[in-house]
Amino acid sequence: MYLNRAEAYAKKGNTTSALADVNVIRTRAGIPTYSSVPAGQTLLNVVLDERRLELAFEGQRKFDIFRNKLDMNRQYPGSHLNGSNPFYTVPYTSNRIVEYIPEQQIQIQPNLIQNPD
């Protein structure tokens, strides 16, 4: 809840309230709090980085990145490697990020049209 509200405050430009919400999480975790936005970062990046740490391994990162019209940086080795281009960035405009409508739902409602490939 705090991180959702912090993201909303960041998008509205309310630095004080966004950092206050992030600091609630950081205080609970016993790590240093922010008094201002660190140099070289935006307020939204601070909030998204905190979400990344707090919600690690819960599968939220993809939605956080693409919802904010940011590109997914996959420029590191790992299980996502494919062919001759093992390091890549997925732009938020790519069709690769579109979720398929489950086949069962299409069978139930024949007027549904599958999302593009």
Side-chain angles (χ1 to χ4, degrees):
M1 174 194 75
Y2 288 109
L3 293 172
N4 290 344
R5 188 169 64 180
E7 184 176 334
Y9 282 140
K11 288 179 180 180
K12 291 174 70 175
N14 190 337
T15 304
T16 305
S17 297
L19 287 179
D21 284 344
V22 168
N23 286 337
V24 167
I25 303 296
R26 293 179 72 83
T27 300
R28 179 205 40 85
I31 54 180
T33 59
Y34 292 112
S35 57
S36 64
V37 177
Q41 289 193 3
T42 66
L43 181 57
L44 184 59
N45 285 343
V46 169
V47 174
L48 291 178
D49 286 346
E50 197 64 33
R51 284 184 67 88
R52 185 179 198 173
L53 294 171
E54 187 67 21
L55 303 174
F57 307 108
E58 292 186 15
Q60 296 295 317
R61 182 70 175 162
K62 172 185 167 183
F63 302 108
D64 291 344
I65 292 296
F66 295 136
R67 178 181 66 245
N68 288 291
K69 296 183 178 182
L70 300 171
D71 295 338
M72 176 70 76
N73 179 348
R74 303 297 302 268
Q75 297 184 5
Y76 54 86
S79 61
H80 63 281
L81 301 176
N82 71 351
S84 62
N85 186 15
F87 305 104
Y88 59 91
T89 300
V90 181
Y92 74 91
T93 56
S94 172
N95 281 345
R96 293 186 67 207
I97 69 168
V98 176
E99 299 287 339
Y100 287 108
I101 299 171
E103 185 177 344
Q104 181 182 16
Q105 294 300 316
I106 291 176
Q107 290 172 350
I108 292 171
Q109 176 52 268
N111 293 331
L112 286 177
I113 299 170
Q114 186 59 267
N115 290 323
D117 290 336

